[in-house]
Amino acid sequence: SASTFTIKAVVSTQSTGGIEEELDQDDYLLAKISDIIHNLFGVYGEDFVQVFDKLTDYYVAMLAPERPSLEHQWALCVFDDLIEYAPNSAPKYQQHFLQPMMVYLSDTNPGVRQAAAYGVGAIAIKFPGADSPYKDFCTTSIPSLVNVINAPASREVENLSCTENCISAITKIFKHIIGMDNLDEMTLVTWLSWLPIQEDEEEGPTVYGFLMDLVEANNQHAMGKNNANLPNIVKVLAEGIINKTIRAEEDAELMSRIQVFMSSIQSNEHLWSAILLQLPETHQVLLRQS
């Protein structure tokens, strides 16, 4: 097919060494090919695997350490789609993507790190539970994900999307693999310190949704002694609404949960007033309007 030919052409160009200008062109081509495969997986799911199988060798080759970062990124994106849209078939290919995914969590390129982190999160969602065959893989990935989040420049513009994907990946592991009742106080306090999500509106609902899981369960590690963390939780949720990583229309169910939570606090006038006093003016205005 045309897409197969294009992939062959790109891989062939890269294997000859290429020059910087060619890499820019190949990045565009690889992005377009990745988009096509993403859409085909999205539409056909498991039925697309028989076609993907004929392309696997090209993407496995692109994951090799000596290949350029852009090839690592787009190959990981394709395997992410395999995991997300054809999970029943994904284990057949695990020998190709698991080890590179773990290694590339620590890559110097933020796009590569982001693609690897997204894949880890997808595995946690698609293969959940304490008896998940990928439990060890997911839990072993946490230190690398934390290192990305805690890196000095992790909140710089060029790294922010990658960082927030790592926060989301850990959130997915907590929710779907470990379980919130098995998380200790230090773990949850650390997780809360990474919030709010500033930019990634796709990952926002995952992260804030888990925060609401903790709140609705009255998780004492998250709420703190005598609910000491309540002001920060309210601030985080307000910030998410202000920066639109929580979207009123697209995330209607999440918004409804947040409104119920806020109403429950507002019913205690003394507590609500005390919380508002600890928040910036912009947050106070928003919450008084809610």
Side-chain angles (χ1 to χ4, degrees), residues 21-289:
E21 290 80 2
E22 287 178 325
L23 290 179
D24 289 338
Q25 185 178 18
D26 288 347
D27 193 14
Y28 175 80
L29 289 171
L30 286 170
K32 289 300 180 185
I33 295 163
S34 178
D35 283 344
I36 292 168
I37 291 177
H38 170 80
N39 290 330
L40 289 169
F41 264 125
V43 172
Y44 296 106
E46 300 284 350
D47 292 335
F48 180 64
V49 172
Q50 59 184 337
V51 178
F52 172 73
D53 195 62
K54 297 178 174 63
L55 309 176
T56 304
D57 288 347
Y58 299 118
Y59 284 102
V60 171
M62 287 163 61
L63 288 172
E66 66 274 10
R67 303 300 272 266
S69 292
L70 67 90
E71 291 194 6
H72 296 159
Q73 177 180 347
W74 295 118
L76 285 168
C77 285
V78 167
F79 282 111
D80 290 351
D81 286 332
L82 169 71
I83 295 161
E84 188 165 14
Y85 296 110
N88 294 337
S89 301
K92 173 184 172 183
Y93 301 92
Q94 67 180 29
Q95 73 271 24
H96 300 309
F97 64 75
L98 281 182
Q99 194 266 345
M101 194 173 283
M102 184 70 75
V103 169
Y104 291 137
L105 286 172
S106 304
D107 198 82
T108 56
N109 184 293
V112 175
R113 295 197 302 271
Q114 180 171 334
Y118 189 88
V120 173
I123 289 172
I125 291 174
K126 295 299 179 180
F127 300 92
D131 58 350
S132 168
Y134 299 107
K135 179 181 179 181
D136 288 347
F137 173 81
C138 287
T139 55
T140 302
S141 75
I142 292 176
S144 295
L145 292 164
V146 171
N147 286 340
V148 175
I149 296 164
N150 289 340
S154 67
R155 304 291 176 159
E156 297 295 327
V157 173
E158 64 273 16
N159 294 317
L160 186 56
S161 185
C162 165
T163 298
E164 294 187 343
N165 265 261
C166 289
I167 294 170
S168 183
I170 291 178
T171 303
K172 291 167 185 173
I173 294 169
F174 285 174
K175 180 178 175 70
H176 299 286
I177 299 290
I178 298 175
M180 67 178 176
D181 293 337
N182 298 315
L183 299 170
D184 61 26
E185 183 176 6
M186 182 178 294
T187 299
L188 282 174
V189 168
T190 301
W191 179 81
L192 278 167
S193 75
W194 297 333
L195 307 186
I197 295 295
Q198 297 286 352
E199 179 183 87
D200 198 327
E201 60 187 30
E202 291 186 10
E203 299 301 328
T206 293
V207 177
Y208 296 120
F210 184 67
L211 178 56
M212 291 310 303
D213 290 346
L214 294 167
V215 167
E216 290 163 354
N218 197 29
N219 183 288
Q220 288 305 296
H221 295 324
M223 302 294 279
K225 187 176 181 181
N226 297 320
N227 291 332
N229 294 338
L230 258 183
N232 185 49
I233 290 171
V234 171
K235 181 181 178 182
V236 163
L237 292 169
E239 182 65 32
I241 295 168
I242 290 169
N243 68 29
K244 293 184 168 49
T245 52
I246 300 173
R247 300 162 295 179
E249 293 182 7
E250 293 89 337
D251 308 320
E253 182 185 358
L254 175 59
M255 277 297 296
S256 176
R257 296 171 71 190
I258 292 170
Q259 287 166 349
V260 169
F261 167 59
M262 295 294 186
S263 296
S264 70
I265 305 175
Q266 288 170 342
S267 64
N268 184 330
E269 191 173 331
H270 177 74
L271 175 62
W272 183 244
S273 297
I275 289 173
L276 287 180
L277 287 174
Q278 298 182 51
L279 302 180
E281 184 65 28
T282 51
H283 297 59
Q284 292 186 37
V285 171
L286 171 76
L287 292 170
R288 287 195 174 104
Q289 292 172 345

